Amino acid sequence: FPYTTLFRSIVWYCIQASGHRILDVDTKVINQLNEANIPVAVILTKCDLATQEEVDILKDILLKEAREVPVFLVTTEDIPDIGTLELNHLIKWSLDKLPEGLKLAFISAQKTNLEVKKKTATDTVLQHTSGAALIGISPIPFSDAPLLLLNQAGMFARIMYIYDMEDMLKQVQTLVGSLGLGTIISGSGIWLVGQLLKVIPVLGTLAGAVVSGTVAAGITSAIGLAISEICYKISLYLLDGDTTGLKTFMSGLGKYFEDLVKSNFKKKV
């Protein structure tokens, strides 16, 4: 079969993991493509609709029957805590294998996907912002900061998963820690007024809850949006292959993050 006349760049050979089987014709075509020196990757789709054991069995079969062909696992959509599994690894493999003339078009398409990730991250920030507001309205003075930090830690992890930058999670936590988050919250005059109002029975407690809830939501939103923006910019540099620009950006990351958080916070509170 004249595969070289049909495929002039790369091939994504997709098999549904939820189908629970790999046919002989699948491995035959995959191996023929590989023997024709056409870059081919096998993609096990809908892995979220199959058990881990089922996915492992299918992957083992592929590794035995098509040894030199990479296998990538992907899901039907972004799943909390696991993202889209190996989708970004597939994209990186594709960029390495594509001819120079097609890379620009491929990168353009991935930038569209990046916009979707940014929107998903923004939605995630909004969810945690709502949670922070509820934490902030706690009627007990000075009791909300620890719970607020826990809520934000969950938000950081989810944002990093969305951008497939889990390896940077510790660096992000260090950035947030360098801000002195507890100090920012406690140092806010508005927040302090809210805590003191909670000491006053009934009306004071209600007013203090509203003020503290607003500040808690504001700081959570400010940090979450700043982290998302950093991940977005890093992704753009990587897609463009701009290593010089990325190094420059990373060298000033601390100051950029701090300024972005403060700017976001002022807009929210």
Side-chain angles (χ1 to χ4, degrees):
F1 194 89
Y3 287 115
T4 54
T5 64
L6 289 176
F7 308 108
R8 298 183 182 278
S9 51
I10 62 174
V11 174
W12 290 1
Y13 194 96
C14 300
I15 300 174
Q16 288 188 23
S18 56
H20 309 131
R21 62 177 180 171
I22 294 172
L23 302 175
D24 290 339
V25 67
D26 291 323
T27 54
K28 180 179 179 181
V29 171
I30 292 166
N31 285 322
Q32 286 179 340
L33 287 166
N34 191 40
E35 289 167 5
N37 293 319
I38 297 170
V40 55
V42 178
I43 306 168
L44 288 179
T45 65
K46 300 184 178 181
C47 287
D48 49 316
L49 302 181
T51 66
Q52 184 63 54
E53 183 180 1
E54 290 168 340
V55 172
D56 289 341
I57 290 173
L58 294 176
K59 189 171 182 179
D60 285 343
I61 293 173
L62 287 167
L63 292 176
K64 289 177 182 177
E65 301 296 329
R67 299 190 178 202
E68 298 178 6
V69 176
V71 179
F72 298 96
L73 314 180
V74 299
T75 58
T76 54
E77 58 184 351
D78 270 339
I79 307 296
D81 298 330
I82 66 172
T84 52
L85 291 179
E86 298 175 340
L87 179 60
N88 275 11
H89 296 298
L90 170 61
I91 291 171
K92 291 174 185 176
W93 175 87
S94 301
L95 277 173
D96 287 339
K97 301 297 181 181
L98 275 171
E100 289 298 325
L102 294 177
K103 283 186 178 180
L104 185 59
F106 186 80
I107 289 172
S108 178
Q110 296 314 308
K111 285 183 178 178
T112 300
N113 181 53
L114 186 57
E115 295 298 333
V116 174
K117 287 188 175 184
K118 188 174 184 180
K119 183 182 183 303
T120 303
T122 299
D123 291 342
T124 297
V125 172
L126 289 175
Q127 292 171 14
H128 284 268
T129 297
S130 298
L134 291 175
I135 292 171
I137 63 176
S138 168
I140 304 174
F142 304 100
S143 66
D144 46 7
L147 291 175
L148 181 59
L149 294 174
L150 185 62
N151 173 58
Q152 289 166 349
M155 177 182 68
F156 303 159
R158 289 183 66 191
I159 293 172
M160 303 312 289
Y161 273 119
I162 289 169
Y163 285 98
D164 196 29
M165 293 187 180
E166 300 95 317
D167 293 343
M168 283 189 62
L169 182 56
K170 287 187 178 180
Q171 187 172 353
V172 166
Q173 292 170 334
T174 300
L175 279 174
V176 175
S178 68
L179 284 174
L181 183 55
T183 304
I184 290 178
I185 298 173
S186 303
S188 169
I190 301 174
W191 181 86
L192 184 57
V193 168
Q195 299 304 309
L196 293 175
L197 282 172
K198 289 180 183 179
V199 178
I200 303 173
V202 189
L203 291 179
T205 300
L206 290 174
V210 171
V211 172
S212 296
T214 300
V215 174
I219 193 68
T220 300
S221 176
I223 293 176
L225 292 176
I227 292 173
S228 177
E229 185 64 23
I230 284 174
C231 291
Y232 178 79
K233 285 186 176 296
I234 290 174
S235 297
L236 283 178
Y237 281 120
L238 290 173
L239 283 172
D240 289 336
D242 185 1
T243 55
T244 302
L246 179 59
K247 287 179 181 178
T248 302
F249 178 72
M250 295 301 289
S251 66
L253 190 59
K255 183 67 167 60
Y256 177 80
F257 180 67
E258 181 179 351
D259 291 344
L260 197 54
V261 170
K262 289 179 179 179
S263 175
N264 290 340
F265 187 58
K266 287 179 181 178
K267 293 176 184 177
K268 293 290 181 180
V269 179

